[in-house]
């Protein structure tokens, strides 16, 4: 609920700090005293447009701060703050502050953290419900009528939402499967062609590396074979170095015994012949090992190039081609088995739809029964509020299937007819300002609504009425305040003012060219004097004071 409102430099208000409590708080004062300024100031922290005209003349900026406290923070507020990354501890007040500059622009803060005006507007409906002469929110807005009726009927909205999401999920799975099958069918010819191409080549994992290595080895062998062929001409034949060494060794053998050095030379020459022979043998073995088939090289190169070309075609690595084949086979298999899968998904979606419809029809019946009770309850409240010629109707319509949702299959709107024989129409289009406020009061009393805004404000709900009707309004406001916790009423009626748990007097004073608006919390004596003024006008008589006492004692 709203616990404190601090205003600085707003129009005629220089500085004002107001504390509020539970129950019914009434605000009174002479016409033009500045009651609308308070509502405009509160509107700033609720996200209303920041008009520079609100800044007090001669000041650079204006500010408003409102403090709200909750036994348990409403879920809607907690979710909005969480989405905005604003933390609030249990038991901690929610303080909204708004600054407006005289030269344009404004700033908003929540618990001293900068925030957007959009967030203030999002929080507003959960913080304050304002019913005034030109209000288009709260109970007037048809978007909230279905939720109000459901709370009155006690419908199982959580169960309805579960059935809706189950059906929506089944439909989504069916749509996805259909799309996959249709896409697969559209690609079927291309898939078959691609798969045939891959199957003909039958790529293997790691094959690119093996082929590349084989190709490199054969290219190297081709180069070395040429070198060995040139060496062969040196080592082979009667005039080769090895043949010459052998001839020299035979000749030296005949004379080696003639001198020790010749024997040593022969030994060295024999070793050379042996080493050269071994070299010749190894060259022969190497030549045999490096023999390659040019056709095999061509085949390896051709396959390698084909694999790489296919990889480029399918935008993948060569080693990924086997997986591509498996994917293509799976897609083709999906076409064949898709119909059976679709049949199962269609059956599941149909069953989920039937389950949702059955549950939604139960909710619909509960709404219809509750609407009849609500219409009677509102009708009982209309006559005491001088609306005895008016009629109230909770209209329940069937939505087309494409508009069904977690809320069910129904549209709900509160309608009124203010004159006998007149057609029913939306609240805001038929009722005048005073009638609209009284209709809303009757509806809220009938609903005994729970879970609405933390603070309810009625602005001049008693306009144009008096006597017994004003008393009826005051009685109902007091009753509603007891149920809801906090209700503020701007009033000109002494009968309504007498019902307040707290009473604030709004007054305007002038000193030279400076005019100021002030608000004071009245004590018992002050309440008597203000209600007496409301009864008698400018001159307060003893009879007015006595009547004020009777009003205060009567509550």
């Amino acid at each position: 609920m709203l616990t404190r409102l601090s205003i600085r430099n707003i129009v005629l208000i220089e500085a004002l700090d107001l504390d509020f409590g539970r129950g019914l708080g009434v605000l009174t004062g002479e016409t033009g005293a500045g009651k609308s300024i308070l509502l405009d100031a509160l509107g700033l922290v609720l996200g209303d447009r920041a008009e520079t005209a609100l800044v007090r003349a001669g000041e650079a900026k204006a500010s408003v701060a409102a403090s709200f406290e909750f036994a348990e923070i409403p879920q809607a507020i907690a979710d909005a703050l969480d989405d905005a990354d604003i933390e609030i501890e249990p038991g901690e007040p929610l303080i909204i502050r708004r600054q407006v500059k005289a030269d344009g622009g404004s700033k908003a803060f929540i618990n001293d953290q900068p925030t957007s005006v959009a967030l203030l507007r999002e929080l507003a409906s959960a913080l304050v419900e304002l019913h005034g002469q030109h209000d288009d929110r709260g109970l007037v807005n048809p978007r909230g009528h279905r939720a109000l009726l459901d709370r009155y009927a006690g419908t199982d909205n959580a169960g309805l939402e579960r059935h809706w999401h189950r059906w929506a999920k089944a439909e989504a799975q069916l749509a996805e499967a259909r799309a996959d099958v249709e896409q697969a069918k559209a690609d079927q010819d291309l898939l078959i062609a691609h798969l045939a191409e891959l199957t003909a080549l039958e790529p293997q994992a790691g094959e690119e590396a093996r082929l590349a290595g084989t190709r490199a080895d054969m290219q190297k062998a081709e180069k070395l074979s040429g070198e060995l062929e040139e060496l062969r001409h040196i080592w082979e034949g009667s005039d080769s170095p090895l043949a010459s060494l052998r001839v020299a060794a035979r000749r030296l053998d005949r004379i080696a015994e003639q001198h020790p050095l010749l024997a040593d030379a022969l030994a060295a020459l024999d070793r050379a012949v042996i080493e050269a022979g071994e070299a010749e043998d190894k060259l022969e073995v190497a030549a045999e090992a490096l023999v390659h088939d040019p056709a095999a090289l061509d085949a390896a190169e051709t396959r390698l190039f084909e694999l790489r070309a296919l990889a480029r075609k399918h935008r993948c690595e060569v080693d990924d081609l086997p997986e591509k084949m498996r994917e293509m086979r799976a897609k083709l298999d999906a076409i064949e088995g898709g119909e059976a899968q679709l049949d199962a998904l269609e059956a599941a979606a149909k069953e989920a739809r039937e389950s949702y419809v059955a549950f939604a029809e139960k909710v619909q019946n509960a709404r219809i029964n509750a609407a009849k009770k609500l219409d009677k309850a509102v009708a009982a409240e209309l006559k005491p509020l001088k609306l005895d010629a008016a009629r109230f109707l909770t209209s329940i319509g069937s939505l087309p299937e494409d508009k069904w949702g977690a809320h069910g299959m129904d549209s709900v709107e509160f309608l009124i007819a203010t004159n006998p024989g007149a057609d029913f129409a939306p609240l805001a289009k038929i009722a005048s300002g005073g009638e609209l406020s009284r209709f809303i009061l009757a509806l809220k009393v009938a609903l005994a609504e729970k879970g609405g805004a933390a603070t309810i404000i009625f602005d001049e709900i008693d306009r144009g009425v008096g006597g017994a009707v004003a008393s009826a309004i005051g009685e109902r406001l007091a009753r509603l305040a007891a149920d809801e916790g906090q209700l503020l009423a701007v009033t000109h009626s002494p009968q309504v003012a007498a019902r307040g748990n707290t009473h604030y007097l709004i007054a305007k004073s002038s000193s030279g060219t400076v005019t100021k608006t002030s608000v004071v919390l009245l004590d018992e004596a002050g309440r008597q004097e203000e209600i007496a003024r409301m009864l008698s006008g400018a001159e307060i008589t003893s009879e007015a004071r006595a009547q004020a006492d009777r009003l205060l004692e009567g509550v």
Side-chain angles (χ1 to χ4, degrees):
M1 68 175 185
L2 176 66
T3 56
R4 187 174 180 83
L5 183 65
S6 298
I7 304 172
R8 299 292 183 271
N9 299 321
I10 296 288
V11 193
L12 299 179
I13 299 176
E14 183 177 20
L16 179 64
D17 295 295
L18 287 175
D19 293 317
F20 299 95
R22 291 190 175 276
L24 175 61
V26 295
L27 296 93
T28 65
E30 294 182 357
T31 301
K35 295 185 288 294
S36 63
I37 299 175
L38 286 177
L39 297 181
D40 289 341
L42 182 60
L44 284 176
V45 298
L46 299 177
D48 287 355
R49 184 175 178 182
E51 300 285 355
T52 56
L54 291 173
V55 181
R56 182 176 169 81
E59 299 294 337
K61 64 180 180 179
S63 67
V64 182
S67 180
F68 298 88
E69 295 183 10
F70 313 94
E72 182 177 349
I73 187 166
Q75 191 61 47
I77 294 176
D79 292 342
L81 294 177
D82 185 58
D83 291 342
D85 293 327
I86 296 177
E87 296 183 0
I88 180 170
E89 298 294 330
E92 180 183 4
L94 178 68
I95 302 173
I96 302 177
R97 184 162 52 92
R98 185 92 177 272
Q99 291 181 350
V100 183
K101 293 183 179 180
D103 58 358
S106 70
K107 294 180 179 179
F109 304 86
I110 294 180
N111 287 17
D112 290 327
Q113 298 183 57
T115 189
S116 66
V117 176
L119 178 58
L120 302 190
R121 285 194 289 268
E122 185 178 353
L123 294 174
S125 61
L127 293 172
V128 175
E129 186 178 318
L130 175 62
H131 302 294
Q133 300 298 306
H134 306 289
D135 184 41
D136 61 353
R137 295 168 292 182
L139 297 183
V140 177
N141 193 333
R143 286 182 297 181
H145 292 176
R146 183 168 47 219
L148 290 169
L149 181 62
D150 283 346
R151 280 203 291 269
Y152 183 77
T155 57
D156 184 4
N157 287 58
L160 181 60
E161 186 173 354
R162 284 195 302 273
H163 280 77
W164 162 255
H165 287 304
R166 178 170 170 262
W167 178 29
K169 182 179 180 181
E171 289 289 350
Q173 290 174 338
L174 176 59
E176 183 180 0
R178 281 175 174 161
D180 288 344
V181 170
E182 290 302 316
Q183 185 62 47
K185 286 182 177 179
D187 296 340
Q188 186 174 22
D189 291 342
L190 186 60
L191 279 171
I192 291 173
H194 284 168
L195 185 58
E197 191 177 33
L198 283 167
T199 302
L201 201 59
E202 199 64 39
Q204 302 296 322
E207 187 176 8
E208 181 186 26
R210 292 195 300 273
L211 284 172
T214 300
R215 174 173 172 257
D217 290 342
M218 296 178 79
Q219 287 176 331
K220 185 189 294 183
E222 186 176 42
K223 181 180 178 182
L224 291 174
S225 294
E227 299 289 341
L228 289 176
E229 189 60 31
E230 294 179 6
L231 286 172
R232 184 187 301 277
H233 294 300
I234 297 174
W235 290 99
E236 291 182 350
S238 57
D239 56 348
S240 69
L242 181 55
S244 299
L245 282 174
R246 287 173 176 162
V247 169
R250 286 195 297 271
R251 291 181 178 179
L252 185 57
D253 182 54
R254 290 196 292 267
I255 61 173
E257 294 179 357
Q258 304 297 320
H259 195 280
L261 289 175
L262 292 177
D264 291 343
L266 177 60
L269 191 58
D270 285 341
R271 288 196 300 274
V273 170
I274 293 170
E275 292 290 336
E278 290 180 357
E280 184 180 34
D281 293 340
K282 289 181 179 180
L283 286 172
E284 289 293 337
V285 173
E288 292 177 2
L290 291 173
V291 170
H292 69 282
D293 183 359
L297 176 59
D298 289 342
E301 288 184 334
T302 299
R303 182 167 179 80
L304 183 60
F305 295 155
E306 287 176 344
L307 288 171
R308 289 175 174 172
L310 273 180
R312 287 193 299 272
K313 183 175 183 177
H314 294 288
R315 298 180 181 180
C316 66
E317 300 295 328
V318 171
D319 283 347
D320 294 332
L321 287 175
E323 180 60 29
K324 281 287 181 184
M325 291 177 64
R326 285 189 288 272
E327 290 176 2
M328 290 178 187
R329 289 192 181 105
K331 288 181 179 180
L332 289 172
D333 290 342
I335 297 173
E336 297 175 1
E339 294 300 328
Q341 182 188 21
L342 286 180
D343 289 343
L345 290 174
E346 285 173 352
K350 181 181 178 182
E351 188 276 329
R353 181 188 184 280
E354 291 173 349
S355 178
Y356 166 79
V357 169
F359 201 94
E361 286 175 346
K362 290 181 181 179
V363 170
Q364 185 180 67
N365 290 332
R367 286 170 176 166
I368 292 172
N369 292 331
K372 294 176 182 177
K373 294 178 182 178
L374 180 60
D375 292 349
K376 290 181 180 179
V378 174
E381 296 292 332
L382 294 180
K383 186 174 182 179
L385 297 175
K386 202 178 179 181
L387 293 168
D388 45 310
R391 292 169 294 146
F392 176 85
L393 175 66
T394 303
S395 174
I396 300 177
S398 296
L399 293 170
E401 186 166 336
D402 61 339
K403 299 295 184 182
W404 294 357
H407 49 70
M409 307 183 299
D410 314 314
S411 64
V412 177
E413 185 172 8
F414 300 144
L415 305 176
I416 60 171
T418 55
N419 298 306
D423 293 333
F424 284 97
L427 289 170
K429 291 185 178 181
I430 293 296
S432 64
E435 287 177 329
L436 178 60
S437 295
R438 280 178 278 147
F439 259 112
I440 290 171
L441 177 59
L443 182 56
K444 288 195 71 68
V445 171
L447 285 169
E449 183 193 353
K450 302 294 182 182
T455 299
I456 303 170
I457 299 176
F458 279 95
D459 181 18
E460 299 186 0
I461 187 175
D462 47 22
R463 178 185 290 268
V465 299
V469 176
S471 295
I473 291 174
E475 187 274 330
R476 281 156 178 78
L477 287 174
R479 191 199 320 167
L480 189 59
D483 292 336
E484 294 290 339
Q486 186 184 52
L487 189 149
L488 301 175
V490 177
T491 179
H492 290 288
S493 169
Q495 290 90 343
V496 173
R499 289 281 182 174
N501 301 105
T502 53
H503 191 151
Y504 303 88
L505 174 62
I506 305 171
K508 184 167 63 175
S509 61
S510 297
S511 176
T513 59
V514 178
T515 301
K516 295 181 180 179
T517 290
S518 61
V519 182
V520 295
L521 176 63
L522 299 178
D523 57 15
E524 287 301 317
R527 290 190 69 191
Q528 182 211 43
E529 195 72 4
E530 171 60 9
I531 292 173
R533 181 199 65 77
M534 297 171 74
L535 287 165
S536 64
E539 183 179 349
I540 303 176
T541 64
S542 58
E543 175 57 28
R545 290 190 176 94
Q547 189 176 353
D549 286 339
R550 287 193 292 272
L551 284 176
L552 289 169
E553 290 171 0
V555 299

